[in-house]
């Protein structure tokens, strides 16, 4: 085509414009060297030429090569689309042309066939039409809007076509989510509700639109997360009724937040059914453990499944009444107050559950082999059983955040806003009871065990078990003392085992693996700790004033690593720091996966939880969990830092709002 010469008698330029006169959807490629300025401007005044229509196959350029049509390579169609939208190829006088007019892409998969998609460009048509002013067209040619090639799957346009694969201008067929969101059940472990994200910076109506990959510096991006099904705006009934043209953008966001609770509950229920059917009811697993171990492992998960089923059924009934859901706060409040108590029982069993699972995995070969086979099955998606076991804790901690999103999307002067706040309080109270139940069971058992292992000897004893006392950290430290002689100053090292509780520090000597002799103790308020550098050692100076005998006692300990020393220092500091010191200047991390603590000073995390990090040492972070202010250490590999300043400020605002309204 580069060898073609310009025909001076040709005074028209082929452009795509709407019309119903012809069925051809292909356009001629403009010969090289031709420009708008080369046209004879005298033709613009001719009323005959202005109305003249020339078929692309009958144009001067096409006649030069017989009956062959000259078609741009990137517009060639090798397969006929199932439903073709007819366009017309005509020629217009130069006087009607304009420059640099961009096209908005239309979604031909929409119900009406002409739904506008924001901020998109159709690359195929831009190759043919780059400067057409629709307002300048004659009135008789403005009767129909151009139907452009659908780019409903914009990501596919970015991918290069593989060799041998057909290239087509037709729309993508068999579009997903044409029916119910229940047609494509997903694992709850693999989705991330948009309502959890207080970092959304969008002020446009695409806040709840299908998510696309973001830039790395636009906040937290967790690549293994998937959107929770279709959005409310994608529902066919919403499109058919034209609801999006009636409601405000604010109401649309509110409907999206409500609808997401419904769809995510269905996903959660689907994962629970996998846990019960493939793990709890597995005959091979039952044979590999005792009845007590089976109960500790699965607790009342079947009851939780039924509770979730009834909750979803009530939500679905409300949704089926009308696509525009007035409110679901009354349903959430009713179930949280009257039907969600089994969650407290399940969470209270968490300590026994984790301990039982670790024991079975480490010492039961039959259990380990059977579990490996089940986890590798297609039905379980290759996910580990632990990801299913923590689902109730994960779901119950996410619900307050989802309710808070509904509160923020509902105008403050409406009754629905106050109803949402009451529902938020009810579900937050449930979460608090779940947390307290889990801690109470763990702490009570732990304190009784430690009490039996303690021998006070000559030291004045005191009752160790108390409902208000729990272990913060324990471990072995080496202390060195100086021995003075007439010749030189020598140092000797002694090993001590320390127990740090929330109100008292006990220094002991390890007698055996399960026996300790108490040497000294002091209340935490009377203990001071300082980091020291002595002979290049990682030392910390401990001062107890007064100690158990009423005098001042100083000891210098040597830690094994920087992390070990930092954890002892923060442990002694945190027990004195009861108020939150979180602010917008401290770094924030969002959990990319759940983390189960393996030591008393570690912090448990659920996916998508946000933590304010106070310090980072050797790949470990010490931070404060936003939802409840709990502090502890966690591996930095379990979370990703949030770098967007606006996102961080939004998190701080949400934290203050939740703690004020829910006391959680």
């Amino acid at each position: 085509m580069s060898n073609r010469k310009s025909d001076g008698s040709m005074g028209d330029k082929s452009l795509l414009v709407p019309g119903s006169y012809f069925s051809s959807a292909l356009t001629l490629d403009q010969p090289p060297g031709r420009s708008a300025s080369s046209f004879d401007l005298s033709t613009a005044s001719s009323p005959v030429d202005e109305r003249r229509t020339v078929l692309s196959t009958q144009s001067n350029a096409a006649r030069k090569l017989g009956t062959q049509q000259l078609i741009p390579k990137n517009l060639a169609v090798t397969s006929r689309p199932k439903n073709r939208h007819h366009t017309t190829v005509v020629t217009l006088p130069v006087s009607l042309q304009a420059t640099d007019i961009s096209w908005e892409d239309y979604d031909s998969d929409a119900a009406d066939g002409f739904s506008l998609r924001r901020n998109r460009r159709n690359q195929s048509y831009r190759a043919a039409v780059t400067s057409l002013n629709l307002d300048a067209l004659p009135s008789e040619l403005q009767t129909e809007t151009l139907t452009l090639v659908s780019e409903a799957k914009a990501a596919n346009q970015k991918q290069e076509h593989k060799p041998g694969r057909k290239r087509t201008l037709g729309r993508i067929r068999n579009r997903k989510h044409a029916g119910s969101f229940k047609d494509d059940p997903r694992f709850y472990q693999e989705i991330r509700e948009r309502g959890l994200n207080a970092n959304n910076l969008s002020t446009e109506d695409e806040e709840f639109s299908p998510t696309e990959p973001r830039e790395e510096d636009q906040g937290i991006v967790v690549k293994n997360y998937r959107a929770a099904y279709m959005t409310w705006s994608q529902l066919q009934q919403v499109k058919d009724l034209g609801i999006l043209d009636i409601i405000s953008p604010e109401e649309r966001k509110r409907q999206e937040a409500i609808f997401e609770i419904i769809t995510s509950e269905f996903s959660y229920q689907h994962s629970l059914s996998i846990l019960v059917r493939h793990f709890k009811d597995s005959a091979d697993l039952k044979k590999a453990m005792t009845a007590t171990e089976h109960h500790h492992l699965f607790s009342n998960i079947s009851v939780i499944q039924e509770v979730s089923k009834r909750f979803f059924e009530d939500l679905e009934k409300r949704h089926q009444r009308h696509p525009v859901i007035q409110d679901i706060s009354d349903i959430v409040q009713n179930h949280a107050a009257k039907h969600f108590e089994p969650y407290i029982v399940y969470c209270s069993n968490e300590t026994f559950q984790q301990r039982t699972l670790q024991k079975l995995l480490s010492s039961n070969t039959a259990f380990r082999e059977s579990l490996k086979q089940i986890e590798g099955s297609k039905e379980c998606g290759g996910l580990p059983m632990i990801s299913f076991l923590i689902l109730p804790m994960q779901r119950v901690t996410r619900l307050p955040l989802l309710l808070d999103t509904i509160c923020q999307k509902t105008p403050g002067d409406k009754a629905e806003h106050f109803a949402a706040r009451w529902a938020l309080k009810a579900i937050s109270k449930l979460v608090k009871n779940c947390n307290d139940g889990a801690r109470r069971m763990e702490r009570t058992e732990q304190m009784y065990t430690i009490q039996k292992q303690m021998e006070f000897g000559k030291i004045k004893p005191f009752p160790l078990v108390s409902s208000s006392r729990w272990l913060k950290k324990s471990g072995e430290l080496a202390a060195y003392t100086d021995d003075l002689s007439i010749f030189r100053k020598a140092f000797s090292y002694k090993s001590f085992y320390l127990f740090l509780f929330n109100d008292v520090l006990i220094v002991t000597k390890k007698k055996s693996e399960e026996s300790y002799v108490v040497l000294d103790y002091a209340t935490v308020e009377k203990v001071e700790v300082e980091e020291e550098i002595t002979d290049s050692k990682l030392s910390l100076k401990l001062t107890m004033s007064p100690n158990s005998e009423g005098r001042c006692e100083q000891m210098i300990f040597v830690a094994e690593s920087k992390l070990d020393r930092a954890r002892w220092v923060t442990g002694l500091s945190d027990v004195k720091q009861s108020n939150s010191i979180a602010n917008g200047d401290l770094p924030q991390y969002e959990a990319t996966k759940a983390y189960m603590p393996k030591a008393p000073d570690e912090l448990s995390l659920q996916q998508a939880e946000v933590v304010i990090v106070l310090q980072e040492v050797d790949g470990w972070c010490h931070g404060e969990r936003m939802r409840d202010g709990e502090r502890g250490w966690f591996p930095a590999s379990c979370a990703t830092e949030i770098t967007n300043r606006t996102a961080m400020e939004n998190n701080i605002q949400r934290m203050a709002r939740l703690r004020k309204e829910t006391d959680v």
Side-chain angles (χ1 to χ4, degrees):
M1 294 174 64
S2 61
N3 296 327
R4 290 163 47 197
K5 296 182 180 180
S6 175
D7 188 352
S9 63
M10 184 178 178
D12 301 323
K13 181 179 179 180
S14 296
L15 295 174
L16 287 177
V17 297
S20 58
Y21 308 107
F22 310 101
S23 60
S24 175
L26 301 177
T27 182
L28 293 174
D29 194 11
Q30 181 179 329
R34 293 299 302 267
S35 63
S37 62
S38 66
F39 285 88
D40 187 0
L41 296 178
S42 62
T43 60
S45 60
S46 174
V48 177
D49 291 341
E50 190 175 44
R51 299 293 303 275
R52 190 178 65 157
T53 301
V54 180
L55 284 173
S56 60
T57 54
Q58 297 176 358
S59 65
N60 293 336
R63 288 175 179 174
K64 291 183 66 175
L65 296 179
T67 58
Q68 276 192 326
Q69 203 176 15
L70 303 179
I71 305 171
K73 183 178 180 181
N74 63 334
L75 291 181
V77 178
T78 58
S79 61
R80 184 180 180 87
K82 186 175 181 180
N83 295 317
R84 300 188 63 179
H85 298 281
H86 301 299
T87 57
T88 309
V89 180
V90 301
T91 57
L92 293 175
V94 178
S95 60
L96 298 180
Q97 294 181 0
T99 58
D100 298 329
I101 303 298
S102 62
W103 284 75
E104 294 286 2
D105 195 0
Y106 287 78
D107 185 1
S108 61
D109 288 330
D112 57 0
F114 303 103
S115 296
L116 180 65
R117 293 290 297 273
R118 291 181 178 270
N119 302 323
R120 299 290 187 265
R121 299 291 184 269
N122 187 284
Q123 301 300 325
S124 299
Y125 276 94
R126 289 187 68 206
V129 185
T130 57
S131 58
L132 180 63
N133 188 344
L134 291 179
D135 294 333
L137 292 177
S139 59
E140 51 267 34
L141 294 179
Q142 298 182 17
T143 57
E144 185 176 347
T145 307
L146 272 175
T147 303
L148 303 184
V149 178
S150 171
E151 46 75 68
K153 298 292 184 287
N156 290 347
Q157 292 185 348
K158 300 178 182 179
Q159 298 177 357
E160 295 183 0
H161 291 272
K162 297 181 180 180
R165 185 176 180 179
K166 292 184 178 180
R167 192 171 184 179
T168 176
L169 293 178
R171 68 176 184 178
I172 297 176
R173 304 173 186 176
N174 301 326
R175 186 181 183 185
K176 284 191 175 184
H177 303 319
S180 170
F181 61 87
K182 297 194 293 184
D183 296 339
D184 181 26
R186 298 179 182 176
F187 293 108
Y188 189 66
Q189 299 96 309
E190 296 181 341
I191 69 169
R192 183 185 189 280
E193 297 95 328
R194 299 177 185 90
L196 295 177
N197 191 6
N199 308 335
N200 201 313
L201 309 180
S202 174
T203 58
E204 301 295 332
D205 58 350
E206 68 268 1
E207 177 176 349
F208 280 89
S209 62
T211 55
E212 296 180 359
R214 300 179 181 178
E215 298 294 334
E216 291 298 329
D217 61 349
Q218 288 184 339
I220 174 68
V221 178
V222 185
K223 296 182 179 180
N224 60 326
Y225 285 138
R226 301 172 66 190
Y229 302 98
M230 58 181 13
T231 63
W232 177 81
S233 301
Q234 292 174 318
L235 292 175
Q236 193 62 44
Q237 190 177 9
V238 173
K239 295 180 178 180
D240 293 342
L241 295 177
I243 296 175
L244 297 179
D245 299 329
I246 303 174
I247 64 174
S248 64
E250 292 76 16
E251 178 60 23
R252 174 191 168 181
K253 294 177 183 179
R254 178 175 174 271
Q255 290 296 319
E256 297 285 8
I258 292 175
F259 185 68
E260 189 170 51
I261 290 185
I262 301 175
T263 57
S264 60
E265 187 67 26
F266 179 74
S267 176
Y268 168 62
Q269 185 185 127
H270 169 67
S271 292
L272 286 181
S273 67
I274 298 296
L275 173 59
V276 172
R277 186 166 64 253
H278 292 277
F279 292 98
K280 177 180 178 294
D281 295 341
S282 170
D284 293 336
L285 285 182
K286 286 183 179 179
K287 292 178 182 178
M289 69 181 92
T290 65
T292 301
E293 290 173 335
H294 189 272
H295 175 71
H296 284 168
L297 199 58
F298 299 104
S299 187
N300 62 333
I301 191 62
S302 296
V303 180
I304 297 290
Q305 183 187 17
E306 290 300 319
V307 168
S308 174
K309 181 180 179 181
R310 291 194 297 268
F311 181 46
F312 173 74
E313 288 174 350
D314 288 347
L315 293 173
E316 188 180 28
K317 288 178 182 177
R318 184 67 57 86
H319 169 59
Q320 290 174 347
R321 290 183 185 177
H322 194 276
V324 179
I325 308 171
Q326 182 178 1
D327 198 14
I328 61 170
S329 300
D330 56 326
I331 298 177
V332 176
Q333 182 180 2
N334 177 63
H335 280 264
K338 299 180 180 179
H339 306 293
F340 282 178
E341 188 174 351
Y343 278 97
I344 302 176
V345 177
Y346 188 88
C347 293
S348 299
N349 182 64
E350 182 181 4
T351 301
F352 299 102
Q353 182 185 75
Q354 300 301 322
R355 184 186 305 160
T356 301
L357 179 60
Q358 292 175 5
K359 176 184 176 183
L360 290 171
L361 288 174
S362 61
S363 61
N364 192 323
T365 304
F367 174 84
R368 191 165 55 247
E369 293 298 326
S370 298
L371 181 62
K372 182 179 180 181
Q373 185 176 3
I374 297 174
E375 290 178 341
S377 65
K378 179 181 179 181
E379 293 79 6
C380 300
L383 296 171
M385 185 175 68
I386 184 62
S387 71
F388 290 92
L389 291 176
I390 65 175
L391 285 175
M393 286 83 79
Q394 182 175 335
R395 179 60 176 173
V396 79
T397 54
R398 287 187 181 185
L399 283 175
L401 300 177
L402 298 176
L403 260 296
D404 177 66
T405 300
I406 294 180
C407 286
Q408 299 310 304
K409 305 302 179 185
T410 306
D413 58 346
K414 287 191 175 182
E416 289 83 356
H417 178 81
F418 295 100
R421 289 183 59 179
W422 280 110
L424 176 59
K425 290 182 180 293
I427 197 68
S428 298
K429 182 179 180 180
L430 172 72
V431 174
K432 187 174 186 301
N433 291 337
C434 288
N435 290 337
D436 291 345
R439 293 168 182 165
R440 183 169 54 251
M441 292 293 293
E442 178 183 8
R443 291 170 179 176
T444 301
E445 182 192 25
Q446 191 176 54
M447 293 305 298
Y448 272 108
T449 301
I450 296 176
Q451 171 94 8
K452 294 179 181 178
Q453 297 174 345
M454 291 284 187
E455 296 181 12
F456 280 87
K458 299 179 179 180
I459 303 298
K460 181 181 179 181
F462 67 94
L464 193 60
V465 177
S466 172
S467 59
S468 60
R469 180 178 294 130
W470 63 88
L471 183 67
K472 297 284 292 184
K473 181 172 177 57
S474 64
E476 195 166 11
L477 286 174
Y480 64 90
T481 58
D482 51 338
D483 297 328
L484 297 178
S485 66
I486 58 175
F487 300 105
R488 62 184 177 86
K489 183 176 182 179
F491 294 93
S492 61
Y493 290 87
K494 294 182 179 179
S495 179
F496 295 91
Y497 202 94
L498 277 62
F499 290 88
L500 176 62
F501 300 92
N502 63 307
D503 60 345
V504 64
L505 173 67
I506 301 180
V507 181
T508 70
K509 180 72 174 179
K510 194 172 184 179
K511 186 176 180 181
S512 65
E513 288 298 325
E514 297 182 353
S515 179
Y516 305 90
V517 178
V518 178
L519 301 178
D520 205 351
Y521 62 82
T523 58
V524 172
E525 291 80 3
K526 306 300 182 181
V527 177
E528 297 293 335
V529 61
E530 301 177 32
E531 296 184 31
E532 288 192 351
I533 300 179
T534 305
D535 297 333
S536 301
K537 300 292 185 179
L538 300 171
S539 305
L540 57 150
K541 181 179 180 182
L542 209 64
T543 302
M544 296 183 289
S545 179
N547 64 351
S548 59
E549 298 179 354
R551 56 183 174 82
C552 180
E553 180 71 21
Q554 287 187 348
M555 302 183 72
I556 299 179
F557 295 97
V558 180
E560 294 181 354
S561 63
K562 290 182 179 179
L563 177 61
D564 188 36
R565 182 176 65 174
R567 289 174 74 154
W568 276 108
V569 172
T570 56
L572 287 164
S573 302
D574 281 352
V575 293
K576 299 180 181 181
Q577 182 72 45
S578 57
N579 297 326
S580 173
I581 59 174
N583 58 69
D585 297 328
L586 294 173
Q588 298 177 13
Y589 282 66
E590 181 174 297
T592 57
K593 59 183 177 181
Y595 177 72
M596 304 303 297
K598 300 175 179 60
D601 64 338
E602 294 181 4
L603 187 67
S604 65
L605 294 177
Q606 301 295 340
Q607 281 183 335
E609 280 195 315
V610 179
V611 182
I612 299 176
V613 175
L614 306 176
Q615 65 173 310
E616 183 174 356
V617 180
D618 292 343
W620 282 75
C621 295
H622 177 246
E624 180 179 308
R625 197 165 54 201
M626 272 196 168
R627 64 177 170 87
D628 57 3
E630 189 77 11
R631 292 186 188 178
W633 291 84
F634 63 92
S637 59
C638 293
T640 305
E641 185 175 3
I642 300 172
T643 58
N644 189 281
R645 290 297 307 173
T646 306
M648 297 171 67
E649 292 173 1
N650 290 342
N651 284 334
I652 294 295
Q653 293 174 6
R654 166 174 270 193
M655 179 192 69
R657 186 171 61 250
L658 286 175
R659 294 186 186 180
K660 177 181 178 181
E661 295 187 358
T662 65
D663 294 328
V664 175

